Amino acid sequence: MESYRPLDITVISATGLNHFLFFLRMRVYVVVSLLNGNSVVEKKTHASNGRNPKWNHRIKFPIEEKAIHTTTLLFVLRQQRVCGDRDIGEVSIPVSELLESNPSGSEHVVDYQVQSMRGTSIGTFTFSHQFREKVSPARDATGSPNPSAMTYTNNQQGIPVYHQSPGYPNYPAPQYGTGVGWYNPTTPVPPGGYPYPP
């Protein structure tokens, strides 16, 4: 059975974006992606103001153990605009490099240079990473691995324990006519339709 290494990422901040952001109130967010061949897992942070934005946004990725050496972690800083968002720069790191630099499994804070779309350095990006212990994924109704359903808590010894998010097989179906302003769809429509409210 394949195993996974959960990777915890905290997108902390960026500094020195002065060469790109000419206005203090510009809003910046980060798109965080795991790339492995044609497989892409993408998440993003909230937007933060200024030339030195701070996010402190936590993200969790389950990475298949055998894919660690072929997977890349990509951060793309984007400017939020009414007329359409645009890329500011990016930071790209092989996942294996993160694991080799921090084999102890503790949380490790690192700084990387942000590369613009033209290949020039435009600032510094700070984030932390931490690899958890190997886990086996939960399986869905078909018996296939479902790593996205994994969450973890600490047991009595303080060790992270992973478990599948609970389903809701006995959750009742929605009922019509139970809320304020609801109507029963089986009630026939009166001739001429419903009158407009005053």
Side-chain angles (χ1 to χ4, degrees), residues 78-99:
R78 306 204 75 204
Q79 177 189 358
Q80 191 175 70
R81 304 188 307 171
V82 175
C83 57
D85 300 353
R86 65 173 175 175
D87 294 347
I88 297 174
E90 65 180 38
V91 175
S92 178
I93 314 106
V95 170
S96 58
E97 178 181 313
L98 298 179
L99 182 60

Side-chain angles (χ1 to χ4, degrees), residues 4-10 32-35 43 58-64 68 71-75 93-99 101-102 105-108 127-135 150 152 162:
Y4 287 78
R5 290 294 298 269
L7 173 61
D8 293 354
I9 296 290
T10 301
V32 188
S33 305
L34 273 183
L35 311 177
K43 301 181 180 182
R58 298 188 68 86
I59 295 174
K60 301 180 185 296
F61 288 112
I63 303 178
E64 195 172 353
I68 286 179
T71 301
T72 299
L73 182 64
L74 176 66
F75 301 91
I93 314 106
V95 170
S96 58
E97 178 181 313
L98 298 179
L99 182 60
S101 66
N102 184 28
S106 59
E107 186 173 17
H108 188 50
F127 71 97
S128 72
H129 61 91
Q130 180 178 15
F131 282 92
R132 302 286 184 173
E133 293 298 323
K134 298 178 184 179
V135 296
M150 293 190 302
Y152 62 83
Y162 289 76

Side-chain angles (χ1 to χ4, degrees), residues 26 38 50 57 62 78 109 115 125 130 136 148 150 158 182:
M26 280 192 176
N38 294 326
H57 186 101
R78 306 204 75 204
V109 179
Q115 299 296 314
F125 178 72
Q130 180 178 15
S136 297
S148 62
M150 293 190 302
W182 287 73

Side-chain angles (χ1 to χ4, degrees), residues 10-85:
T10 301
V11 180
I12 300 176
S13 63
T15 58
L17 300 180
N18 300 354
H19 295 295
F20 188 88
L21 300 181
F22 302 103
F23 301 99
L24 185 62
R25 294 186 62 81
M26 280 192 176
R27 295 175 61 79
V28 181
Y29 65 93
V30 184
V31 178
V32 188
S33 305
L34 273 183
L35 311 177
N36 184 12
N38 294 326
S39 175
V40 179
V41 180
E42 186 176 282
K43 301 181 180 182
K44 71 177 182 178
T45 70
H46 59 278
S48 179
N49 291 333
R51 300 171 180 175
N52 302 301
K54 296 181 180 180
W55 300 282
N56 293 315
H57 186 101
R58 298 188 68 86
I59 295 174
K60 301 180 185 296
F61 288 112
I63 303 178
E64 195 172 353
E65 180 76 11
K66 65 182 181 182
I68 286 179
H69 293 281
T70 59
T71 301
T72 299
L73 182 64
L74 176 66
F75 301 91
V76 178
L77 281 69
R78 306 204 75 204
Q79 177 189 358
Q80 191 175 70
R81 304 188 307 171
V82 175
C83 57
D85 300 353

Side-chain angles (χ1 to χ4, degrees), residues 141-165:
T142 65
S144 301
N146 185 17
S148 62
M150 293 190 302
T151 57
Y152 62 83
T153 56
N154 290 336
N155 62 11
Q156 294 179 351
Q157 291 75 34
I159 301 173
V161 177
Y162 289 76
H163 56 84
Q164 187 177 11
S165 300

